[in-house]
Amino acid sequence: MLKRNEIKYLVLPAFLVSCHLLLVSYCRAQPKYEFRAVWIATVDNIDWPSKGNFNTEIQKKEFIQQLEMHRRNGINAVIVQVRPAADAFYPSQYEPWSEWLTGKQGQPPSGYYDPLQFMIEETHKRGMEFHAWCNPYRAVFRLGQSSIASTHITRIHPDWFLNYGDTKYFDPGNKEVQQYVVEVIRDIVRRYDIDAIHFDDYFYPYRLPNRDFPDEKSYREYGSGMSREDWRRSNVDSIIVMLSRAIREEKKYCRFGISPFGVWRNKDRDSTGSDTHAGQTNYDDLYADILLWLKKGWIDYVAPQIYWEFEQKNAPYAVLLDWWSQNAYGRHCYIGLGVYKAGINAAWRDRSQLPRQIQALRQTQNVQGMVFFSSTSFQRNPNGWNDSLQNNYYRFPALIPPMNWIDSIKPAAPSIRNEVTKDSLLVNWLMKGSPADDIKGFAVYRSDAQNFTTDSIPPVEFIPYQPDAKFVLPSLSQLELKGFSYYVTAISRTNNESAPVAIFKASAKKD
């Protein structure tokens, strides 16, 4: 009779075969390049910091906890709201500290720190990108309720603003306003090591019933004979062009992305629109001509908020996914997914709703990834979707797709220094191949193919760059037993990949 430890060794080869087949299956199912992001909203303390938390150390702890949750889930970028209402989550010469950070607008953090700097460093430390999310035109979130500092721009230039509903907005038609907003964004790009500037869907505000936005004065002054609708769209076009230029002037590698409402135009208004029946649209109500910005190359990516289910009658997910994929004009398209909706109706109680949306976008051309709204929705593991990401869809890391119109230069292949520890582990110290390279990290690949190429499979691990970056492997004898070879590449700040370098090459198997 076999002893228990003898049985263990007999089944080991079968176990290794099983692991190998599982690896191959997962790698084939997952893309090598994919933008996987989450929005972290600060307005009204939706995601961070938690409502009523004005303690610096607890704020830091909360943000790190969210980053760690997303890192476990396989997220490779966060989009963090740093200017929700003409205020700042960083020290600014233009705008006061946010009330959602300190409880009172204009009041600096107690236990002073720079939240934006802190968030960028912690995000990059984990190999993720940091996209700074700004709201362009919202100035006072709730009239009569929001805290307004004496230094707030609404008090300095009250003639720049218009009240609509219970919110105060910058007047997009005011030329001084446009220049001011551009300077605020330029300041962020100049001072902080961000990877992108990100705007959401709030340009002109969503239309209120039986009320038009009160911009008659600006229209009379600047309308130049255009219809009110065309003039409003030209105002938004102008600031997008100005922002695009300013961002590039400050940092060439810094991207510019827009997350519009999910419907550009309905087909019954425009033959090029989507086959939807949305009550409001980007073009006709928010005066945001997203397609023009994509055609002209003014923005680098679009992340339409397709928060609807497949079964939605007026704006079904599949229809909009297909429409945006056909209208990205060579720029990147990341689909906004509404994970926050889990449980609200029968469709969103269906555990397969989000997985099917991920599968659909992965099978759609010209779609390079997704963004989830919003961060804290994942804290309750809705419908088990954290598990789905960790164990299936994001089982292996993905590289963020490069944008060749920004930069296509590959970094030098990394240098490797190996050493074997007293425990027989193979430690690989990873270094830049060229001191001049600006790299974000290293991608590690595992393969049993003798003619390995990095195009064949996604990486099994991404290691953020640091001077003492390392990757540890089992002993050489175990590596030979498993039959895998390992390779590493360097990934530049602009997501371009170097040629691979072998860390360990398994011996060729003989028949």
Side-chain angles (χ1 to χ4, degrees):
M1 182 180 291
L2 290 169
K3 297 178 181 179
R4 182 167 303 194
N5 62 340
E6 292 174 322
I7 295 174
K8 176 181 70 176
Y9 288 113
L10 280 175
V11 300
L12 180 60
F15 170 73
L16 289 175
V17 170
S18 175
C19 287
H20 167 65
L21 293 175
L22 185 64
L23 170 70
V24 171
S25 174
Y26 273 132
C27 286
R28 287 176 179 169
Q30 293 191 193
K32 171 178 172 165
Y33 290 105
E34 188 169 64
F35 187 74
R36 303 170 176 174
V38 63
W39 278 292
I40 300 180
T42 60
V43 62
D44 206 27
N45 301 112
I46 290 174
D47 288 312
W48 182 83
S50 59
K51 195 173 289 291
N53 171 24
F54 308 126
N55 181 285
T56 290
E57 294 308 312
I58 297 178
Q59 287 179 355
K60 290 180 178 179
K61 182 179 179 181
E62 284 184 350
F63 189 77
I64 288 173
Q65 286 174 339
Q66 290 193 46
L67 285 183
E68 284 298 303
M69 173 179 64
H70 298 314
R71 182 189 61 79
R72 290 192 299 272
N73 284 351
I75 296 296
N76 57 22
V78 292
I79 302 174
V80 184
Q81 195 172 32
V82 301
R83 183 190 185 252
D87 54 357
F89 273 72
Y90 58 96
S92 170
Q93 63 176 314
Y94 297 100
E95 296 178 325
W97 288 101
S98 176
E99 66 173 299
W100 296 298
L101 180 73
T102 66
K104 181 180 180 181
Q105 191 178 82
Q107 180 173 294
S110 177
Y112 185 84
Y113 77 123
D114 182 339
L116 180 50
Q117 184 64 32
F118 165 78
M119 292 188 291
I120 292 169
E121 290 175 357
E122 292 297 326
T123 300
H124 285 169
K125 189 186 299 182
R126 289 162 177 79
M128 302 177 189
E129 288 194 344
F130 188 97
H131 293 215
W133 168 15
C134 301
N135 185 284
Y137 289 136
R138 185 168 55 213
V140 177
F141 186 59
R142 289 194 183 97
L143 290 170
Q145 298 181 42
S146 297
S147 172
I148 306 299
S150 60
T151 57
H152 194 252
I153 192 65
T154 57
R155 298 195 186 278
I156 298 170
H157 290 286
D159 54 312
W160 287 3
F161 299 91
L162 301 169
N163 294 345
Y164 190 54
D166 63 354
T167 305
K168 187 182 290 290
Y169 297 94
F170 285 91
D171 178 0
N174 185 305
K175 301 301 181 185
E176 291 179 291
V177 161
Q178 294 177 13
Q179 190 59 50
Y180 171 81
V181 173
V182 170
E183 287 309 308
V184 169
I185 301 305
R186 183 189 290 274
D187 178 60
I188 296 173
V189 178
R190 178 188 298 132
R191 292 168 51 207
Y192 291 97
D193 190 24
I194 60 174
D195 298 288
I197 286 288
H198 180 97
F199 277 12
D200 54 27
D201 49 323
Y202 293 96
F203 290 96
Y204 278 82
Y206 284 87
R207 191 185 300 276
L208 297 175
N210 304 313
R211 297 179 63 182
D212 197 12
F213 190 65
D215 56 357
E216 296 88 352
K217 182 180 178 181
S218 294
Y219 177 56
R220 287 196 301 268
E221 185 172 355
Y222 300 112
S224 302
M226 289 186 284
S227 70
R228 180 83 66 93
E229 290 74 17
D230 286 342
W231 170 73
R232 286 175 175 171
R233 277 186 286 272
S234 73
N235 291 331
V236 183
D237 294 343
S238 294
I239 198 167
I240 293 297
V241 172
M242 293 164 66
L243 285 165
S244 182
R245 290 173 180 166
I247 292 166
R248 288 286 185 271
E249 287 169 3
E250 295 300 329
K251 286 191 177 82
K252 181 184 176 183
Y253 64 79
C254 185
R255 281 152 283 163
F256 185 23
I258 303 288
S259 175
F261 178 68
V263 179
W264 176 71
R265 287 194 99 182
N266 293 314
K267 196 171 186 178
D268 61 3
R269 295 289 300 273
D270 188 322
S271 61
T272 63
S274 54
D275 190 10
T276 52
H277 304 280
Q280 300 201 45
T281 68
N282 286 289
Y283 187 91
D284 296 301
D285 299 284
L286 305 180
Y287 303 100
D289 190 356
I290 314 294
L291 296 198
L292 176 66
W293 311 344
L294 290 164
K295 290 176 186 177
K296 296 290 187 180
W298 296 339
I299 61 176
D300 298 301
Y301 70 82
V302 62
Q305 298 169 26
I306 311 181
Y307 294 160
W308 303 287
E309 60 269 27
F310 283 97
E311 300 82 1
Q312 219 282 344
K313 293 182 179 179
N314 293 320
Y317 175 82
V319 169
L320 287 166
L321 170 64
D322 180 66
W323 187 89
W324 282 103
S325 76
Q326 295 183 44
N327 289 278
Y329 291 94
R331 289 328 204 202
H332 285 185
C333 179
Y334 313 137
I335 303 301
L337 301 176
V339 67
Y340 75 98
K341 286 193 167 183
I344 68 166
N345 59 27
W348 285 101
R349 286 191 292 273
D350 179 359
R351 293 168 63 92
S352 74
Q353 182 70 231
L354 186 69
R356 285 187 291 123
Q357 292 188 3
I358 294 173
Q359 291 167 6
L361 70 86
R362 282 182 170 175
Q363 294 165 5
T364 303
Q365 288 187 336
N366 306 320
V367 174
Q368 291 85 11
M370 66 212 84
V371 190
F372 299 99
F373 188 85
S374 68
S375 179
T376 52
S377 300
F378 284 103
Q379 290 179 342
R380 55 190 172 88
N381 190 17
N383 288 332
W385 288 336
N386 290 30
D387 304 321
S388 296
L389 295 181
Q390 292 177 26
N391 300 322
N392 189 351
Y393 297 99
Y394 292 177
R395 173 67 179 81
F396 291 102
L399 304 181
I400 293 176
M403 297 177 174
N404 293 332
W405 58 90
I406 292 178
D407 177 27
S408 60
I409 300 174
K410 295 183 177 182
S415 297
I416 305 170
R417 179 170 58 84
N418 309 112
E419 66 179 61
V420 179
T421 69
K422 61 181 179 181
D423 299 322
S424 299
L425 298 177
L426 181 60
V427 178
N428 305 275
W429 299 95
L430 309 177
M431 297 163 285
K432 291 182 181 182
S434 168
D437 284 340
D438 185 7
I439 67 170
K440 65 192 301 183
F442 305 94
V444 178
Y445 295 86
R446 180 170 60 196
S447 175
D448 63 354
Q450 292 303 307
N451 298 315
F452 170 78
T453 67
T454 55
D455 295 331
S456 57
I457 55 174
V460 293
E461 189 165 342
F462 182 82
I463 301 173
Y465 173 74
Q466 53 184 347
D468 58 348
K470 67 179 179 181
F471 177 65
V472 181
L473 286 168
S475 67
L476 296 176
S477 59
Q478 288 179 296
L479 289 170
E480 285 290 359
L481 178 63
K482 293 181 179 180
F484 288 118
S485 297
Y486 287 82
Y487 303 82
V488 64
T489 62
I491 309 299
S492 74
R493 181 61 184 268
T494 50
N495 297 305
N496 291 300
E497 186 174 27
S498 75
V501 175
I503 296 177
F504 169 81
K505 293 192 74 171
S507 302
K509 296 180 182 179
K510 296 180 181 179
D511 295 331

